[in-house]
C-alpha cells in the first residue's frame, strides 16, 4: 500500500479517536473559563508600572506557562499507552508501516491541540491589560502552543515506553518537575546541573515569553529615577528580578544586547525538542515493528 494511502487512513482513524477527547463542549468551557479566571486574577496588571506590577506580570507569564505544561501532559500518557497497544496490533498483522503510523498521529495531535493555547491567550491577556500589541500576544500564544505540544510529546514518550499507565504518570511527574526547576524561575542550578535547562521546554518557553514582553527601554516607577527617562522612572533592566534571570541564563531587557529582543533561538529549540521526542516515539514503534517481523519470519 502506498505511503500516502497509509497516511491518509491513519490520519482519518486517529482523528476519529482523538477528536472527541480533545474537541468537545467541556474542553471549550475549560479553556474559556481558565482564560477568564486567569485574566480576572491578574486583572489590569499590564497597566501597573510599579515594581509590584512587574512581579505580577512575571507571575502571570509563569502561571500561563505552567498551566500549558501539565494540562495535557498527564492525559497524553494514557492516550499514548492505548495508542501503542493499537499499533502493536497493526504491526503484528503487517497492515501499516511505522512512518505513516507515527506521522499520522503527530499530525492529528498538532492539528487538534494547537488552537487551545492561542484561544486561552487571546481571552486571558486582554483582561490582564497585557494586550499592547497583537504581535506580542501572538508570540506568547505560540510559545504556549509549542510548550503544550512538547509536554504532550513528553507524556507520549513516557506512555509508549511504560509497561503500565501509573508508571508513566509517576515518571511524567518527576521529569516535568525537574524541567520546571531547571527553567530558573525558582533558583539557580549548580554548575554541574546547569545543562539540564537546555533540554527543558519550560525554560525555552518562559524565556521566550519574557523576551517577547519586556524590552530594554521599558521603564518602571521608582523613588529615584534618571534624567534620561524621568525623575520617578527607572529602566526595567535595573530591577532585581531581571538581574536574577540574567544570572540563570534568561537574558531579558538588556541595553545594547540584540539577543535580549529576539526569540528565534527559543522557537528553534522548542521545535527541535518536539522533533526529538517524536523521534523517540518513532524508534519505539520501529523496534516493536521489527520484533514482530522477526517473529513472523521465524515462524
Amino acid at each position: 500500500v502506498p505511503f500516502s494511502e497509509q497516511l491518509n487512513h491513519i490520519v482519518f482513524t486517529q482523528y476519529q479517536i482523538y477528536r472527541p477527547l480533545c474537541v468537545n463542549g467541556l474542553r471549550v468551557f475549560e479553556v474559556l473559563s481558565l482564560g477568564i479566571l486567569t485574566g480576572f486574577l491578574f486583572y489590569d496588571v499590564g497597566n501597573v508600572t510599579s515594581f509590584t506590577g512587574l512581579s505580577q506580570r512575571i507571575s502571570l507569564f509563569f502561571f500561563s506557562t505552567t498551566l500549558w505544561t501539565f494540562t495535557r501532559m498527564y492525559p497524553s500518557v494514557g492516550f499514548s499507552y492505548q495508542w501503542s497497544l493499537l499499533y502493536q496490533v497493526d504491526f503484528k498483522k503487517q497492515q501499516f508501516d511505522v512512518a505513516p503510523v507515527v506521522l499520522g498521529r503527530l499530525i492529528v495531535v498538532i492539528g487538534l491541540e494547537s488552537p487551545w493555547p492561542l484561544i486561552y491567550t487571546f481571552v486571558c491577556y486582554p483582561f490582564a491589560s497585557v494586550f499592547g500589541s497583537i504581535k506580542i500576544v501572538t508570540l506568547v500564544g505560540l510559545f504556549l502552543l509549542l510548550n503544550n505540544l512538547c509536554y504532550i510529546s513528553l507524556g507520549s514518550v513516557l506512555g509508549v515506553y511504560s509497561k503500565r499507565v501509573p508508571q508513566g504518570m509517576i515518571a511524567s511527574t518527576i521529569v516535568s518537575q525537574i524541567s520546571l526547576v531547571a527553567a530558573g524561575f525558582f533558583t539557580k542550578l549548580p554548575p554541574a546541573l546547569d545543562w539540564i535547562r537546555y533540554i527543558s521546554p519550560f525554560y525555552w518557553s518562559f524565556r521566550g515569553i519574557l523576551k517577547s514582553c519586556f524590552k530594554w527601554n521599558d521603564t518602571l516607577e521608582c523613588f529615584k529615577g534618571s534624567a534620561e527617562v524621568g525623575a520617578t522612572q527607572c529602566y526595567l533592566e535595573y530591577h532585581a528580578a531581571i538581574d536574577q534571570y540574567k544570572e540563570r541564563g534568561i537574558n531579558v531587557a538588556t541595553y545594547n544586547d540584540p539577543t535580549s529582543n529576539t526569540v528565534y533561538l527559543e522557537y528553534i529549540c522548542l521545535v527541535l525538542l518536539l522533533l526529538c521526542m517524536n523521534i523517540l516515539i518513532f524508534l519505539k514503534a520501529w523496534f516493536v515493528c521489527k520484533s514482530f517481523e522477526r517473529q513472523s519470519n521465524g515462524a
Side-chain angles (χ1 to χ4, degrees):
V1 180
F3 176 87
S4 59
E5 291 186 15
Q6 293 187 53
L7 182 61
N8 289 336
H9 179 81
I10 293 296
V11 169
F12 178 75
T13 303
Q14 286 297 310
Y15 176 81
Q16 288 183 314
I17 296 173
Y18 200 81
R19 188 201 62 78
L21 303 172
C22 180
V23 182
N24 51 62
L26 183 60
R27 188 80 195 280
V28 173
F29 177 77
E30 174 198 19
V31 174
L32 292 179
S33 299
L34 285 172
I36 294 171
L37 178 61
T38 307
F40 276 112
L41 287 174
F42 294 94
Y43 182 73
D44 206 35
V45 297
N47 290 328
V48 181
T49 58
S50 64
F51 281 9
T52 302
L54 174 63
S55 300
Q56 290 174 335
R57 273 179 282 166
I58 293 175
S59 296
L60 168 62
F61 302 146
F62 179 79
F63 177 81
S64 300
T65 312
T66 305
L67 179 66
W68 291 102
T69 294
F70 299 108
T71 302
R72 299 298 288 174
M73 183 189 66
Y74 287 114
S76 70
V77 174
F79 296 160
S80 59
Y81 178 81
Q82 295 297 325
W83 170 74
S84 69
L85 298 180
L86 291 175
Y87 75 60
Q88 287 180 33
V89 174
D90 292 335
F91 292 157
K92 192 171 185 179
K93 296 179 180 179
Q94 298 184 347
Q95 292 179 323
F96 300 103
D97 297 327
V98 177
V101 169
V102 176
L103 180 60
R105 178 183 180 274
L106 179 61
I107 291 172
V108 171
V109 170
I110 291 176
L112 294 180
E113 295 285 0
S114 293
W116 300 109
L118 293 172
I119 293 172
Y120 167 85
T121 304
F122 279 91
V123 171
C124 167
Y125 279 56
F127 284 108
S129 298
V130 190
F131 205 90
S133 166
I134 295 292
K135 177 184 176 182
I136 292 176
V137 177
T138 303
L139 289 175
V140 172
L142 289 175
F143 275 117
L144 295 180
L145 183 158
L146 285 171
N147 187 70
N148 184 44
L149 291 176
C150 282
Y151 280 97
I152 288 174
S153 296
L154 176 59
S156 299
V157 170
L158 297 172
V160 299
Y161 278 88
S162 299
K163 294 183 178 180
R164 296 183 181 86
V165 173
Q167 293 177 349
M169 292 288 189
I170 294 170
S172 63
T173 299
I174 296 172
V175 174
S176 61
Q177 292 297 332
I178 291 174
S179 72
L180 257 67
V181 174
F185 183 85
F186 299 107
T187 186
K188 183 179 179 180
L189 293 176
L193 300 176
D194 198 45
W195 58 270
I196 296 178
R197 66 184 180 188
Y198 296 116
I199 58 174
S200 167
F202 191 97
Y203 167 75
W204 295 110
S205 301
F206 186 60
R207 172 171 139 165
I209 290 173
L210 290 181
K211 290 172 70 173
S212 299
C213 295
F214 297 138
K215 307 301 178 186
W216 72 267
N217 56 351
D218 289 343
T219 60
L220 294 171
E221 293 179 0
C222 60
F223 291 110
K224 186 177 180 180
S226 64
E228 296 177 0
V229 292
T232 60
Q233 296 290 315
C234 296
Y235 281 116
L236 182 65
E237 68 173 313
Y238 297 125
H239 191 280
I242 301 300
D243 285 336
Q244 287 180 349
Y245 287 133
K246 290 177 183 177
E247 293 177 0
R248 299 167 189 173
I250 303 177
N251 204 30
V252 180
T254 304
Y255 175 71
N256 205 26
D257 182 4
T259 63
S260 69
N261 290 330
T262 58
V263 292
Y264 301 112
L265 177 63
E266 286 74 17
Y267 280 122
I268 291 171
C269 289
L270 284 169
V271 171
L272 288 176
L273 287 172
L274 178 64
L275 180 62
C276 289
M277 284 184 276
N278 282 279
I279 289 174
L280 291 175
I281 295 172
F282 174 85
L283 290 175
K284 176 59 187 295
W286 184 81
F287 279 116
V288 171
C289 180
K290 291 302 178 183
S291 67
F292 283 126
E293 286 183 2
R294 287 193 294 269
Q295 292 177 11
S296 177
N297 294 332

